[in-house]
Amino acid sequence: MPKIIVEVMPKEVLLDPQGKAVANSLHRTGHKDITAVRIGKRIELHFDRPVTEADVAAAQKIGESFLSNAVIEDVVAVTVEDN
Amino acid sequence: MPKIIVEVMPKEVLLDPQGKAVANSLHRTGHKDITAVRIGKRIELHFDRPVTEADVAAAQKIGESFLSNAVIEDVVAVTVEDN
Amino acid sequence: MALFKKKTPFVPSGVDTTANAAATPQKEQPYALLGLKDDEYNRIREILGRRPSSSELAMYSVMWSEHCSYKSSKIYLRQFGEKVTEDMKKHLMVGMGENAGVVDIGEGWAVTFKVESHNHPSYIEPFQGAATGVGGIVRDILTMGARPIAVMDQLRFGAPENPDTARVVHGVVDGISFYGNCLGLPNIGGETVFDKVYQGNPLVNALSVGALRHEDLKLAKASNPGDLVILFGARTGADGIGGVSVLASETFDSTGPSRRPAVQVGDPFAEKVLIECCLELYAAQVVAGIQDLGGAGISCATSELASNGGAGMRVQLQHVLKRDESLTPEEILMSESQERMMGVVPKKHLKAFEAIVNKWEVEYSVIGEVINEDRLYINWGEEEIVNVPPRTVAHDGPVYERPVAYPAYQDALNANNVHVAANGNGLHRQNHNSSELAAQVVQIISSPNQADKGWITDQYDRYVGGNTALAQPDDSGMVRVSETTGLGIAIATDANGRFCQLDPYQGAKLALAEAYRNVAVSGASPMAVTNCLNFGSPENPEVMWQFKQATAGLADGCLELGIPVTGGNVSFYNQTGDVAIHPTPVVGVLGVIDDVARRIPSGWQDAGHNIYLLGVTKDELDGSVWSEVVHGHLGGRPPVVDLAFEKQLAEAIAAASEQGLLASAHDLSEAGLAQAVAECTLRFGMGARIWLNEICERDGVDRTAALFSESTGRVLVSVGREDDVKFVGLCEARGIPVLRIGVTDNSGELEIQELATWNLADLGAAHKGTLAELFG
Amino acid sequence: MTMKIGVVTFPGTLDDRDAQRAVRIAGATAVPLWHADANLHKVDAVVLPGGFSYGDYLRCGAIAAQAPVTEAIIKAANGGLPVLGICNGFQVLVESHLLPGGLIRNEAQHFICRDQKLRVENINTPWTNQFELNQEITIPLKNGEGGYIATDETLKRLEGEGLVAFRYLDGNPNGSMNDIAGLRNERGNVVGLMPHPEHAVEAGFGPDTNIAMRSGIDGLKFFTSVINALVNA
Ligand SMILES: Nc1ncnc2c1ncn2[C@@H]1O[C@H](COP(=O)(O)OP(=O)(O)O)[C@@H](O)[C@H]1O
Ligand SMILES: [Mg+2]
């Protein structure tokens, strides 16, 4: 079934305490080369029919207006996966 | 700066309450064609040097052992982004 | 109803039907893989007069499992119903055997409470395991017709320094916090114990309590033919199916279908909505019977409802709403998907039922009908896949009297007491070295088990509901039930695995005595008991001996105290390899208080009050915290418990509290007086001066025992000067030994004379920092 | 005539009955408002209580911000109706853009419940007029996602225009920027905060104080303030 994947990340300029906590933990276990970690969301919208251009445009809009909060997050990608 | 992106999703057969709540909300606002929503994580590991094969392999391992819980989640993608 | 209408043309689905079962008696079935013994399988064949269909096999196997049938424990649990007097049953509206016991607390109110384990899932997936543990016990309470009003959690983890412990601690605490907080139920208490015996087998017990008006009591039964059977709440998915998937395969070897995951994922939001929805259904009086879906899912709910109601049921399994269309009938029967309920609804109320569930946007489907026949029929489309007498599934499972053996290690363990340990020298006591003895006080109150549990309890919402009168760190949790009169309840739970290992009979009594005392010092009157019996494998005769002893101790203890056991839960197979956990019978005591405004604080709040120790201190350090933390030792015999005295003590506290004589009361238990004094002073930051010499003189004990002995029947109280004479007189009249051992003051310090003086800020930092440092 | 204060219930709201009780103790009538009903039943003010509306699954308050009742509240708030958002209610106000910024996971990564000291920094709102400026109060705090964040520019504006209504004292519990515990809008009628005033309105069930266990009732002033404001309006 095809799906549209919307990816949302916390804004670069804002702090991401969850990412920071994970980064600290990775540093403790020796992964010193990872300079930072940021954690966002991967949201899959499933369809039971082929996905159209209009669907992607709608997903972009849903992503910006509802799936993310523009004040603190960015939609970084909207992609289609079909398998 | 290059980064490795690890994407983690709840296992298909398990309940995803988050996804369900979002799907219901989308249905209420008229997006009836979206049959299901599933929500996972997008985790960015940042580096301040070029990323190597070994880093990707390490990220895969971190993804499976630490960033996700294999009992309930799957790592669905590990990709490199360079910009 | 269009449940069984013939569709044409009829195409057989390939599932194993009852007809097929009758026609192929020789077909091999994987009953052993499902945990059934040869004789159990043969009994099923006898009951049915044929081999079971694969769906029937699934139902029997899970309903006859230890978890659902209590087959190893049943013969011992009976005594909870037998060792009771008429007087003890006076306030019992529903006793053992139902989803939870119900106690009449007066003014037309009743409460229902129960504790249950979710140990094994919480090791595999700590977060979801613990979360769904809370969800499950809350549904049990809801099923009785009650509004759940609080939760508690009883936790046992491995050694704090073991790296795996942090994983389990974080997952479990997050899971309880997430689920309980999202349900809007205040967490009013619990237990947290670390011990390496729980390393590969942590214990996660959860308790819930609910309140209801007498007339709202609901029972899990389907008795009126024609009533509809409705499944509502979450959809059914592949949660917790585990091994049952083998049934769908033709061959039972490892090349069969991949096993479904055994974990369940909880959705507290769905449960919160389900609670409100059910309460509205109850208020509208549209359900005749109700059952939550927990272990064994639909198999359990259908067979129990029918069996309890003395009726039968006809079910169309294809009407079950599914999350995953690939589920087989066997899996649907077994699924332990969370947040589901099964209601029995008279046809004339269907419309009203639908209006309420629709309002809450709860999904539902009518899956069957109650029938006037002692049969449970389940169809998959047109094909009959189950045709059984419901009682044989739900209630007539096997009952075992398993072999019992006195443990080979027991005598040596009991002989190795604190006086002979360390090569016959006895554990060394620093009686004459004040600085060393004082250091032991700090070492003990900051050890993980004795340290403040704030790091955990601050992750739980204790305020929601607006009725919490006591919660952590007080001796018991207390909630107001009636907002007009202040009528309320208190609950405390306890279990000391070390004492139980030394003597499971006494250990169970000790747990009961401690929980009872904790309720009494809060100002409530103890009324009823629940329990969760966590043990190793029942197939090990030595474990079975422990179980036999512990249940006898608990039943005898309840009889002595005159409070009945109203329900509980058994969890066996808590072991790693062959090594069982310490027997851990968690005992919960429920008390009632006429007005929660009268509750007694557990710490000192005012300067210039006298501090009294009630009860007698003996040299009882076997199995104590002192022996563990200072010496790493476990041996000897646990403290003696005198329940008649505990009762007297509780009555004296109640009398003193009714006369308004007590400014505070705190029981002495683990780590004895030292721990109690530290907790009393740190509770509100009130300083104090304490002297030990009179305890030593009167009771003939040394300073180590005065500080750390875990003798039972002791309480620390503070009393205003003006009430002194009256209070002492009251104790003496009732034969309660009473000794003034100190005074409170504004010094900001705790002084134990001739021992040490601590700044409260430092002492507080030592007591409160430990868990955050380990796990923060 | 007693004032009518609406208390909203979304599926998953938890502190609605507590907020109703607080309204009653303060002397007003509590009117339940249901998420699916856009009718505000002519209430004089609205409280959005705490909880986990719709499970708080996407972002706290995000799904509730789309509910019919919320649309009606946004409209009424823009017309001057006093609105108080507590915890999840604050999150709903932020997601509805009635207040700026966002609320994210606590810095310590877990839920925290404690008695929290606050400083009241703005008393020119219908919800705070009974306090004294810079008064220190203690009310319970309980949240998992209470870390307030905003861009530098927004923060500057909030501080410059005096829109910070409450600030955490004696330790920032959740990593909120500038120790911000609560905000007001420009007009002052909309106030949101993470801590829970409705849990500090009845002696015996509130936070501990120096005088007696669980006797703190600092939260009551939120509700008497709004009654006072409405009477004098
Ligand atoms: N896991 C937990 N969940 C909730 N409350 C807990 C938990 N662990 C300990 N507590 C609380 O911390 C306080 C101290 O616990 P404990 O020392 O075991 O009490 P006691 O000795 O009176 O039985 C009690 O109020 C208890 O309810
Ligand atoms: Mg106690």
Side-chain angles (χ1 to χ4, degrees), chain C residues 392-407:
Chain C
T392 63
V393 180
H395 293 108
D396 294 341
V399 175
Y400 292 135
E401 182 164 1
R402 298 221 185 249
V404 162
Y406 185 73

Side-chain angles (χ1 to χ4, degrees), chain D residues 43 68 152 177 208:
Chain D
V43 293
D152 287 349
M177 289 180 156
D208 288 340

Side-chain angles (χ1 to χ4, degrees), chain C residues 153 187 189-192 457 460 472-475 494 514 518 669:
Chain C
D153 56 315
N187 186 306
E191 300 164 52
T192 308
T457 56
Y460 303 152
Q472 63 83 13
D474 296 313
D475 288 301
D494 281 292
E514 192 186 338
N518 277 320
S669 56

Side-chain angles (χ1 to χ4, degrees), chain A residues 5-74:
Chain A
I5 297 159
V6 179
E7 302 190 57
V8 173
M9 293 301 291
K11 274 199 196 302
E12 289 277 350
V13 295
L14 291 175
L15 76 177
D16 170 18
Q18 215 189 336
K20 208 174 83 190
V22 169
N24 287 344
S25 174
L26 287 175
H27 288 173
R28 271 196 299 275
T29 52
H31 300 92
K32 308 262 182 214
D33 282 6
I34 297 172
T35 52
V37 177
R38 295 189 76 78
I39 302 188
K41 292 197 194 92
R42 173 188 152 107
I43 301 151
E44 295 183 357
L45 309 176
H46 293 217
F47 291 78
D48 58 3
R49 55 157 179 78
V51 164
T52 65
E53 282 293 313
D55 292 329
V56 178
Q60 178 82 37
K61 225 175 117 197
I62 295 169
E64 282 160 14
S65 62
F66 174 56
L67 299 178
S68 72
N69 174 355
V71 180
I72 54 173
E73 295 169 321
D74 294 315

Side-chain angles (χ1 to χ4, degrees), chain C residues 152-155 176 187-192 449-451 453 456-457 460 471-477 492-494 514 518 666-667 669-670 675 679:
Chain C
M152 300 174 90
D153 56 315
Q154 296 73 27
L155 312 177
I176 292 168
N187 186 306
I188 58 168
E191 300 164 52
T192 308
N449 288 341
Q450 301 315 118
K453 301 302 185 305
I456 290 174
T457 56
Y460 303 152
Q472 63 83 13
D474 296 313
D475 288 301
S476 52
T493 71
D494 281 292
E514 192 186 338
N518 277 320
H666 189 34
D667 82 304
S669 56
E670 290 193 319
Q675 179 80 22
E679 287 173 352

Side-chain angles (χ1 to χ4, degrees), chain B residues 11 13-17 20-21 24 28 69 71-72, chain C residues 124-125 128 238 260-261 263 265-267 323-324 361:
Chain B
K11 274 198 197 303
V13 296
L14 290 177
L15 175 70
D16 171 16
K20 202 178 77 184
N24 287 344
R28 272 196 297 272
N69 174 352
V71 181
I72 54 173
Chain C
I124 302 172
E125 212 310 286
Q128 293 295 348
R260 303 277 197 173
V263 288
V265 173
D267 179 355
R323 214 169 65 221
D324 171 352
E361 296 180 22

Side-chain angles (χ1 to χ4, degrees), chain C residues 576-622:
Chain C
T576 314
D578 286 337
V579 185
I581 59 163
H582 287 164
T584 312
V586 168
V587 180
V589 170
L590 173 96
V592 178
I593 182 164
D594 54 0
D595 185 355
V596 297
R598 208 170 53 68
R599 74 214 183 292
I600 310 170
S602 71
W604 303 324
Q605 282 179 107
D606 303 288
H609 282 194
N610 281 324
I611 299 165
Y612 289 95
L613 177 60
L614 308 184
V616 171
T617 304
K618 305 191 197 98
D619 193 306
E620 295 182 304
L621 287 159
D622 289 348

